[in-house]
């Protein structure tokens, strides 16, 4: 072979083969751990102000800006650690209400505190609207008797009138839900709805009349009721197909919009008459449920998209002017998803978000009168989308014939061929799903040169209630087989190298990190469990899931109560079957998966003489939150992976 041909062959070979990444080429780990961004933007009814949730380090606040001067906030409502805003809504052009929550860990949704406060746009007259016993009466507002329960912002009147609708639930009464019309100026409440079922969500019409109530009852079953002649009537299965979830009424009160599932399949978007009778299909997909609905200021849907795969909007009414604007914006931001976030009441000012698999999200202000679009702020400013990997949704068939979705995150610039691979099971497990959108853990691993495999196993969301139900009592069996089948599929397609596979998951994903290794000996080279559940029976004794009757009903449905079955599916009872090095990561203040779970797994590994590493942090909950702790965790994960499946790869 001549020198020229040999050189060309060598260059071609380099293009096909991954190259070990130099440390200097990697995105700094701090970029994935840094907290600091904006979310939940809400325009005031007159479009003159913008309220937004602000996160800086460990602190949270609500900032109010004038839309014609975004250089500095008009007011800044700082919240004490660990509080953050769960919802922000304007009740008039000068006053807004904030529902509060606390951050319990990076692996869980914020936990609602049950408290609501109101403030003027300039930051004055901060008053409690619903005040827990250890609540906010000292925060500049008038004192009031503590409310022995919790409340949520339910919705707003069709036209801003200084009021909002508030759902309340009492600690000593799990069998009732109340709905109030509340004057945000003084906190005075007027009861407008009540149902003898706990923890329901109400749907009102534009006149404030309560029309529907839906939710999960104390037996962990979905129920829906319709108000008829002044009485609540429970809708039987089949009356509106097998699952009917009312969303909202059009402002002309002629139509109700709802999600509906037939025979447990994916949810479709439906339009019905006001009484829920005659139905019209607006959007559906055979594989996935419909979501990501885009609304006009008058509560008319103009577009929606399937909740799996790359979300491709389905335009519902192409003649509607806002539908045409939405389509033009989607064309302006190719390979990204446009989401309408907030409107002024007259619809002339719009906030929209643009996001993708590589971009956590950027918000824009669109002044339709001036035909001007202004970039506002990003969800996570530390992330450079150009340095992130691509997320590729694909379908494969499980060993029992069930079609499943997998999402592969491919390191930037690398061919998806025989790569070291990390299986990343999501938490939940029920009604939670991995999507095409930006995923911090997946992108961190991809930035270190690892192919990341995520599987929406049965029990996951996005496919309808039947798919969710298929995961019940399958924690350690069929769900784990779906994950294992995903690894086999990725290897058969030559995406992942069978000799270099590890599993890393948080919460239920931490449980799966141990169980997949147990169920598929020899498949993995290492396992990382973060904030995992490792002893199923312990869930009935420790942790916050058991505290309410609905939580106990959930446990019985999800994992059962048979001691032998629980033991047969608990990693700490099967530690002798683990044949790979293990890294356990846990917050010592975790209430969802108590620290006792990690200690039980550690004790089992020690008793079985299995190698493990250990990383815990005090004052951390369900997933690390403090930036320095997240950095430490990611560094441990990278070191552990390099030790057991070798360094990651990148293109030249």
């Amino acid at each position: 072979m001549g020198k020229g041909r040999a050189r060309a062959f060598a260059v071609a070979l380099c293009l096909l083969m991954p190259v070990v990444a130099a440390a200097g080429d990697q995105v700094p780990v701090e970029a994935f751990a840094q907290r600091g961004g904006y979310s939940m933007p809400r325009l005031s009814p007159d479009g003159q102000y913008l309220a937004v949730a602000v996160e800086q380090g460990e602190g949270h606040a609500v900032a109010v800006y004038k839309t014609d001067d975004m250089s500095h906030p008009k007011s800044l409502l700082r919240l004490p650690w660990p509080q953050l805003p769960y919802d922000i809504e304007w009740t008039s052009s000068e006053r807004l209400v904030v529902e509060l929550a606390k951050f319990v860990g990076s692996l869980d949704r914020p936990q609602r505190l049950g408290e609501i406060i109101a403030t003027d746009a300039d930051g004055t007259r901060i008053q409690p609207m619903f005040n827990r016993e250890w609540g906010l009466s000292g925060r500049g507002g008038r004192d009031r008797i503590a409310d022995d329960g919790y409340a949520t912002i339910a919705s707003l009147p069709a036209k801003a009138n200084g009021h909002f609708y508030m759902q309340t639930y009492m600690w000593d009464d799990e069998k009732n839900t109340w709905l109030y019309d509340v004057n945000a100026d003084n906190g005075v409440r007027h009861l407008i709805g009540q149902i003898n079922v706990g923890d329901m969500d109400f749907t009102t019409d534009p006149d404030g009349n309560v029309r529907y109530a839906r939710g999960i009852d104390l037996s962990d079953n979905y129920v829906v009721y319709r108000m008829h002649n002044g009485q609540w009537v429970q809708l039987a299965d089949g009356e509106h197909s097998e699952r009917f979830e009312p969303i909202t009424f059009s402002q002309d009160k002629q139509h109700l919009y709802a999600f509906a599932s037939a025979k447990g399949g994916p949810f479709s978007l439906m339009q019905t008459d006001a009484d829920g009778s005659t139905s019209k299909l607006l959007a559906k997909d055979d594989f996935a449920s419909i979501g990501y609905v885009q609304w006009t200021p008058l509560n008319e849907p103009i577009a929606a998209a399937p909740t799996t795969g790359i979300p491709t909007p389905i335009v519902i009414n192409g003649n509607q002017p806002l539908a045409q604007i939405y389509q033009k914006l989607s064309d302006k931001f190719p390979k990204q998803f446009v989401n309408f976030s907030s409107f002024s009441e007259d619809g002339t000012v719009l906030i929209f978000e643009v996001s993708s698999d590589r971009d956590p999200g950027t918000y824009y202000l669109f002044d339709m009168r001036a035909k001007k679009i202004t970039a506002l702020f990003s969800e996570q400013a530390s992330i450079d989308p150009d340095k992130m990997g691509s997320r590729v949704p694909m379908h494969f068939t499980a060993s029992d014939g069930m079609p499943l979705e997998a999402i592969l995150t491919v390191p930037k610039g690398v061919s998806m061929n025989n790569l070291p691979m990390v299986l990343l099971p999501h938490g939940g497990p029920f009604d939670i799903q991995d999507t095409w959108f930006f995923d911090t853990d997946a992108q961190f691993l991809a930035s270190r040169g690892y192919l990341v495999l995520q599987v929406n196993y049965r029990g996951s969301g996005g496919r309808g209630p039947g798919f969710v139900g298929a995961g019940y009592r399958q924690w350690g069996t069929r769900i784990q087989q779906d994950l294992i089948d995903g690894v086999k599929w990725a290897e058969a397609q030559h995406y992942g190298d069978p000799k270099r596979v590890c599993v890393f998951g948080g919460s239920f994903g931490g449980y799966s990190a141990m169980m997949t290794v147990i169920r598929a000996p020899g498949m993995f080279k290492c396992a990382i469990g973060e904030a995992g559940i490792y002893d199923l029976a312990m869930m009935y004794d420790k942790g916050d899931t058991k505290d309410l009757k609905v939580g106990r009903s959930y446990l019985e449905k999800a994992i059962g109560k048979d001691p032998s079955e629980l033991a047969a599916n608990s990693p700490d009872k099967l530690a002798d079957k683990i044949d790979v090095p293990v890294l356990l990561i846990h917050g010592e203040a975790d209430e969802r998966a108590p620290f006792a779970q990690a200690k039980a797994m550690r004790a089992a590994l020690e008793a079985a003489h299995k190698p493990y590493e250990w990383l815990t942090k005090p004052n951390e909950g369900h997933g690390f939150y403090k930036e320095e702790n997240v950095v430490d965790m990611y560094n441990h994960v990278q070191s552990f992976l390099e030790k057991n499946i070798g360094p990651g790869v990148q293109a030249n």
Side-chain angles (χ1 to χ4, degrees):
M1 182 182 296
K3 291 184 179 179
R5 291 182 62 192
R7 186 178 298 112
F9 178 79
V11 171
L13 189 62
C14 288
L15 292 175
L16 292 174
M17 294 180 61
V19 178
V20 176
D25 296 334
Q26 291 182 339
V27 178
V29 64
E30 288 80 8
F32 299 96
Q34 183 175 325
R35 298 195 175 278
Y38 300 81
S39 61
M40 216 182 307
R42 299 285 190 267
L43 279 168
S44 61
D46 62 5
Q48 298 300 306
Y49 297 112
L50 175 67
V52 62
V54 181
E55 181 179 18
Q56 294 292 340
E58 297 176 28
H60 293 265
V62 176
V64 176
Y65 292 87
K66 285 188 66 67
T67 53
D68 61 0
D69 179 12
M70 298 289 293
S71 60
H72 61 277
K74 176 183 176 67
S75 66
L76 188 67
L77 174 61
R78 298 185 185 276
L79 300 175
W81 169 258
Q83 291 183 13
L84 74 162
Y86 189 92
D87 192 12
I88 304 169
E89 301 292 348
W90 290 89
T91 59
S92 70
S93 291
E94 292 289 339
R95 195 154 175 82
L96 60 153
V97 289
V98 181
E99 182 181 336
L100 299 174
K102 69 174 181 178
F103 207 94
V104 296
S106 60
L107 295 175
D108 213 354
R109 297 186 180 102
Q111 180 178 314
R112 284 169 153 167
L113 285 175
E115 295 196 8
I116 301 171
I117 58 175
T119 177
D120 283 353
D122 62 4
T124 62
R125 292 204 311 127
I126 301 171
Q127 296 175 302
M129 298 289 102
F130 193 93
N131 185 28
R132 290 268 295 278
E133 53 190 84
W134 46 270
L136 299 159
S137 58
R139 194 193 290 271
R142 61 183 177 81
D143 290 338
R144 64 182 303 157
I145 298 173
D147 292 301
D148 192 18
Y150 71 101
T152 64
I153 299 172
S155 57
L156 299 172
K159 296 289 184 181
N161 62 0
H163 292 226
F164 70 101
Y165 301 135
M166 179 177 75
Q167 292 173 181
T168 67
Y169 319 86
M170 296 296 109
W171 296 129
D172 59 354
D173 186 353
E174 291 187 59
K175 297 181 179 179
N176 283 281
T177 310
W178 292 266
L179 183 68
Y180 292 90
D181 181 319
V182 183
N183 185 330
D185 190 61
N186 54 27
V188 173
R189 310 168 188 170
H190 172 62
L191 183 67
I192 59 174
Q194 184 264 334
I195 189 170
N196 297 121
V197 185
D199 208 19
M200 292 290 103
D201 290 320
F202 292 103
T203 302
T204 58
D205 65 22
D207 293 331
N209 300 308
V210 180
R211 303 292 293 274
Y212 287 91
R214 65 181 177 92
I216 304 298
D217 66 13
L218 294 179
S219 298
D220 195 49
N221 295 315
Y222 176 80
V223 291
V224 58
Y225 297 83
R226 178 166 64 90
M227 180 62 72
H228 180 66
N229 293 330
Q231 300 292 326
W232 287 113
V233 178
Q234 184 173 356
L235 301 184
D237 288 347
E239 183 170 346
H240 293 285
S241 74
E242 293 183 6
R243 183 82 172 249
F244 178 72
E245 297 188 357
I247 308 170
T248 188
F249 282 86
S250 60
Q251 284 201 10
D252 63 8
K253 297 176 288 186
Q254 298 302 305
H255 300 123
L256 170 70
Y257 299 103
F259 291 122
S261 163
K263 299 180 180 179
F267 283 102
S268 299
L269 179 64
M270 308 291 294
Q271 173 186 297
T272 76
D273 292 343
D275 62 359
S277 56
T278 306
S279 297
K280 175 184 177 182
L281 178 66
L282 297 180
K284 72 180 293 292
D285 184 85
D286 292 335
F287 184 83
S289 293
I290 293 296
Y292 310 124
V293 183
Q294 308 303 315
W295 303 91
T296 72
L298 299 178
N299 280 359
E300 299 286 348
I302 56 173
T307 54
T308 68
I310 299 176
T312 303
I314 301 167
V315 176
I316 293 171
N317 182 358
N319 294 324
Q320 222 277 357
L322 269 175
Q324 297 172 7
I325 289 174
Y326 182 78
Q327 186 61 60
K328 289 179 180 178
L329 288 173
S330 296
D331 294 340
K332 180 179 176 63
F333 296 96
K335 298 182 180 180
Q336 301 182 81
F337 186 79
V338 175
N339 182 63
F340 285 178
S341 179
S342 179
F343 283 95
S344 61
E345 198 166 78
D346 65 5
T348 61
V349 184
L350 161 67
I351 301 291
F352 66 93
E353 181 186 19
V354 176
S355 61
S356 72
D357 56 338
R358 298 182 295 117
D359 184 352
T362 302
Y363 289 99
Y364 295 83
L365 185 145
F366 184 12
D367 186 330
M368 299 186 198
R369 292 164 298 192
K371 297 182 180 180
K372 180 182 179 182
I373 295 176
T374 304
L376 296 179
F377 35 72
S378 61
E379 286 254 12
Q380 197 170 342
S382 61
I383 295 297
D384 181 353
D386 290 337
K387 296 181 179 180
M388 297 297 107
S390 297
R391 289 172 59 75
V392 185
M394 304 177 77
H395 289 180
F396 71 96
T397 302
S399 53
D400 66 350
M402 172 73 78
L404 298 175
E405 181 188 39
I407 300 173
L408 293 162
T409 305
V410 187
K412 178 177 174 60
V414 171
S415 173
M416 194 163 61
N417 181 41
N418 208 39
L419 298 175
M421 184 170 71
V422 179
L423 171 66
L424 185 65
H426 67 70
F430 300 114
D431 218 13
I432 304 295
Q433 68 181 113
D434 292 312
T435 70
W436 168 77
F437 292 99
F438 184 90
D439 183 299
T440 304
D441 284 347
Q443 289 289 3
F444 168 73
L445 293 169
S447 77
R448 267 52 194 165
Y450 298 102
L451 176 69
V452 182
L453 169 65
Q454 294 169 287
V455 176
N456 280 318
Y457 48 76
R458 66 202 73 193
S460 302
R463 301 274 301 276
F467 191 76
V468 173
Y472 287 131
R473 301 287 290 271
Q474 300 293 318
W475 270 43
T477 52
R478 188 64 245 183
I479 289 177
Q480 303 311 313
Q481 190 59 50
D482 285 350
L483 292 165
I484 292 164
D485 288 346
V487 173
K488 291 179 178 178
W489 163 79
E491 292 174 351
Q493 302 301 311
H494 304 292
Y495 301 142
D497 181 353
K499 297 178 181 179
R500 295 183 292 169
V501 181
C502 188
V503 55
F504 165 37
S507 193
F508 178 82
Y511 167 86
S512 292
M514 301 301 115
M515 287 303 297
T516 50
V517 168
I518 292 166
R519 298 300 189 216
M523 175 173 280
F524 301 93
K525 300 302 180 185
C526 59
I528 306 171
E530 177 193 1
I533 295 289
Y534 307 116
D535 185 326
L536 298 190
M538 190 187 294
M539 296 181 74
Y540 285 99
D541 300 318
K542 298 180 185 294
D544 56 7
T545 304
K546 63 173 178 51
D547 291 344
L548 297 175
K549 186 178 187 304
V550 66
R552 296 188 292 274
S553 296
Y554 162 81
L555 289 176
E556 292 181 21
K557 180 185 288 188
I559 61 176
K561 294 191 69 174
D562 180 76
S564 61
E565 183 181 348
L566 295 175
N569 293 288
S570 292
D572 70 331
K573 303 299 188 293
L574 305 167
D576 61 312
K577 299 182 183 299
I578 295 177
D579 59 357
V580 301
V582 168
L583 169 60
L584 295 177
I585 303 168
H586 221 97
E588 296 175 17
D590 195 338
E591 296 178 1
R592 182 56 45 87
F595 190 39
Q597 290 278 356
K599 291 191 288 186
M601 192 69 233
R602 178 178 63 177
L605 290 168
E606 289 178 345
H609 306 290
K610 301 294 183 177
Y612 74 91
E613 296 182 24
W614 181 254
L615 177 64
T616 68
K617 298 290 183 180
N619 304 315
E620 286 283 16
H622 197 51
F624 292 173
Y625 179 75
K626 295 181 179 179
E627 290 182 15
E628 63 267 28
N629 291 341
V630 177
V631 169
D632 194 21
M633 181 193 75
Y634 278 148
N635 283 332
H636 271 79
V637 167
Q638 181 177 351
S639 175
F640 189 76
L641 291 173
E642 290 176 347
K643 186 188 307 181
N644 290 287
I645 60 173
V649 297
Q650 285 187 350
N652 284 328

